[in-house]
């Protein structure tokens, strides 16, 4: 296992470098951040001086290697807009994003696993059709539309839940206040993931239920819940782990839109602000973090394979 992890990390290094090259090239093609400064109150000489100070007068490949060299020294650069260190900006916004993602993933699994198992066991029943319908609705409704719908119902009409921020302005917050602000964004993210997970879990459990060894387990008089929980679910976990591993990067990206809608003070809100102002160092810092999250998610998924199914050998 240790050799496999080291091998995967070594392979991930050139992949990560390639991702940063593509990201940097695409970002530069989008335009210069100095275009945001141009106007009647800013002279061309001031813009040119700013261009030289930021190193934007050099070729793109030189700019990339300068950025990469600073990154290897532990310096992710400084924001063009706020002049803050990018590393500090990311670290200050990372906590709220991880909290939102973690709770959303947990809620989606708590809803999807029992629903998927129930749907598989009661195939073609009214409950099965209801669960499948919910799964299609959850995965089909756009997140921003569901967000606006929830805000209209629970904030505008009923006034039960706050629609923005992480804590109530003018208060010290607290776990209860944070939980109240998390209800709607967590519901939106969890509904989308649960909708997809229910169908995968249902299909995996249905396939396992048709295997001969489960019929043998039932013939031996093993209880129904033990057959489902110990034998069926354990063997259905491999495809489920695959889906969860793929959804972690998707959750990281989906949080960008949801955080923008609900003004959640996480990486998503910071990323949208950086994109609109063409803040290159911040954009590259977030892209780098996203790439690391994807690579780590794939590595953790492979490790979980071996834990879930002992017959799988990682070489």
């Amino acid at each position: 296992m240790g050799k496999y992890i080291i091998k995967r990390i070594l392979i991930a290094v050139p992949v990560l470098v390639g991702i940063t090259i593509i990201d940097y090239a695409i970002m530069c093609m989008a335009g210069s951040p100095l275009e945001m400064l141009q106007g009647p109150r800013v002279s061309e000489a001031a813009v040119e001086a700013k261009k030289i100070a930021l190193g934007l007068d050099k070729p793109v490949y030189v700019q990339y290697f300068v950025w990469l060299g600073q990154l290897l020294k532990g310096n992710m650069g400084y924001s063009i807009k706020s002049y803050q260190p990018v590393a500090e900006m990311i670290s200050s916004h990372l906590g709220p994003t991880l909290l939102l993602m973690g709770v959303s993933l947990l809620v989606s699994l708590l809803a999807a696993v029992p629903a998927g198992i129930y749907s598989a066991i009661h195939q073609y029943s009214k409950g099965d059709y209801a669960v499948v319908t919910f799964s299609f609705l959850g995965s089909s409704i756009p997140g921003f539309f569901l967000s606006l719908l929830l805000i209209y119902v629970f904030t505008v009409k009923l006034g039960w839940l706050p629609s923005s921020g992480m804590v109530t302005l003018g208060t010290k917050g607290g776990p209860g206040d944070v939980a109240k602000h998390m209800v709607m964004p967590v519901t939106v993210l969890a509904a989308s993931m649960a909708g997809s997970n229910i169908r995968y879990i249902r299909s995996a459990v249905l396939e396992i239920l048709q295997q001969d060894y489960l019929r043998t387990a039932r013939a031996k008089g093993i209880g129904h819940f033990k057959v489902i929980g110990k034998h069926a679910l354990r063997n259905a976990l491999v495809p489920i782990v695959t889906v969860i591993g793929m959804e972690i990067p998707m959750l990281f990206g989906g949080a960008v839109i949801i955080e923008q809608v609900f003004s959640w003070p996480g990486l998503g809100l910071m990323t949208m602000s950086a994109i609109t102002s063409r803040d290159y160092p911040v954009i590259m810092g977030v892209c780098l973090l996203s790439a690391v999250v994807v690579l780590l998610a794939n590595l953790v998924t492979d490790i979980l394979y071996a834990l879930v199914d002992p017959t799988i050998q990682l070489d």
Side-chain angles (χ1 to χ4, degrees):
M1 180 70 74
K3 291 181 179 179
Y4 174 79
I5 294 175
I6 294 174
K7 181 181 177 181
R8 285 296 301 269
I9 292 175
L10 293 177
I11 294 175
V13 171
V15 173
L16 191 60
V17 172
I19 292 173
T20 59
I21 292 174
I22 296 174
D23 287 341
Y24 203 93
I26 294 175
M27 183 180 64
C28 291
M29 286 189 293
S32 171
L34 297 178
E35 295 176 2
M36 311 297 291
L37 300 177
Q38 295 177 352
R41 296 183 179 181
V42 181
S43 64
E44 292 186 4
V47 173
E48 188 64 25
K50 187 72 172 179
K51 184 177 182 180
I52 296 173
L54 296 175
L56 299 177
D57 57 325
K58 300 171 183 171
V60 173
Y61 67 91
V62 175
Q63 296 178 38
Y64 170 77
F65 281 112
V66 170
W67 174 83
L68 185 61
Q70 292 296 319
L71 179 65
L72 294 176
K73 295 178 182 178
N75 179 19
M76 299 181 71
Y78 294 85
S79 169
I80 297 175
K81 183 179 179 180
S82 64
Y83 304 104
Q84 292 180 285
V86 175
E88 291 184 6
M89 293 179 64
I90 291 178
S91 62
S92 63
H93 290 81
L94 184 59
T97 296
L98 291 179
L99 176 63
L100 184 63
M101 288 174 53
V103 175
S104 300
L105 182 61
L106 180 61
V107 170
S108 69
L109 292 177
L110 290 176
V113 172
I117 295 174
Y118 173 85
S119 182
I121 296 174
H122 301 84
Q123 189 179 16
Y124 303 133
S125 66
K126 292 182 179 179
D128 178 31
Y129 288 127
V131 171
V132 172
T133 301
F134 168 78
S135 69
F136 276 110
L137 288 175
S139 58
S140 300
I141 298 177
F144 70 91
F145 176 79
L146 182 58
S147 300
L148 296 177
L149 181 63
L150 293 177
I151 291 173
Y152 177 76
V153 174
F154 293 102
T155 302
V156 177
K157 288 295 184 181
L158 300 177
W160 290 353
L161 298 172
S163 63
S164 62
M166 187 173 176
V167 296
T168 304
L169 294 177
T171 65
K172 296 181 179 180
D177 191 31
V178 174
K180 193 174 181 180
H181 283 78
M182 289 179 63
V183 172
M184 288 195 289
V186 166
T187 300
V188 175
L189 290 173
S192 177
M193 289 187 296
S196 301
N197 289 338
I198 286 173
R199 297 202 305 274
Y200 283 110
I201 294 172
R202 180 180 183 274
S203 300
V205 175
L206 279 175
E207 183 179 355
I208 296 298
L209 289 176
Q210 298 173 1
Q211 299 298 319
D212 293 335
Y213 66 87
L214 280 188
R215 297 191 185 98
T216 303
R218 293 193 188 97
K220 289 182 178 180
I222 299 177
H224 179 71
F225 289 102
K226 194 171 183 180
V227 169
I228 299 299
K230 184 176 180 180
H231 297 280
L233 183 59
R234 176 74 182 270
N235 288 278
L237 280 178
V238 173
I240 295 172
V241 168
T242 304
V243 174
I244 295 173
M246 293 171 58
E247 283 186 341
I248 291 177
M250 294 174 60
L251 178 62
F252 193 84
V256 173
I257 305 299
I258 303 305
E259 288 183 6
Q260 181 73 13
V261 174
F262 290 101
S263 299
W264 187 262
L267 288 175
L269 194 62
M270 185 189 73
T271 302
M272 293 300 295
S273 176
I275 291 173
T276 54
S277 60
R278 295 182 185 175
D279 199 339
Y280 281 5
V282 177
I283 295 174
M284 283 304 299
V286 174
C287 288
L288 177 65
L289 179 62
S290 302
V292 171
V293 168
V294 172
L295 295 174
L296 285 178
N298 291 333
L299 176 60
V300 172
T301 301
D302 289 342
I303 294 173
L304 289 177
Y305 283 158
L307 298 177
V308 170
D309 189 354
T311 62
I312 296 177
Q313 298 294 325
L314 300 178
D315 297 324

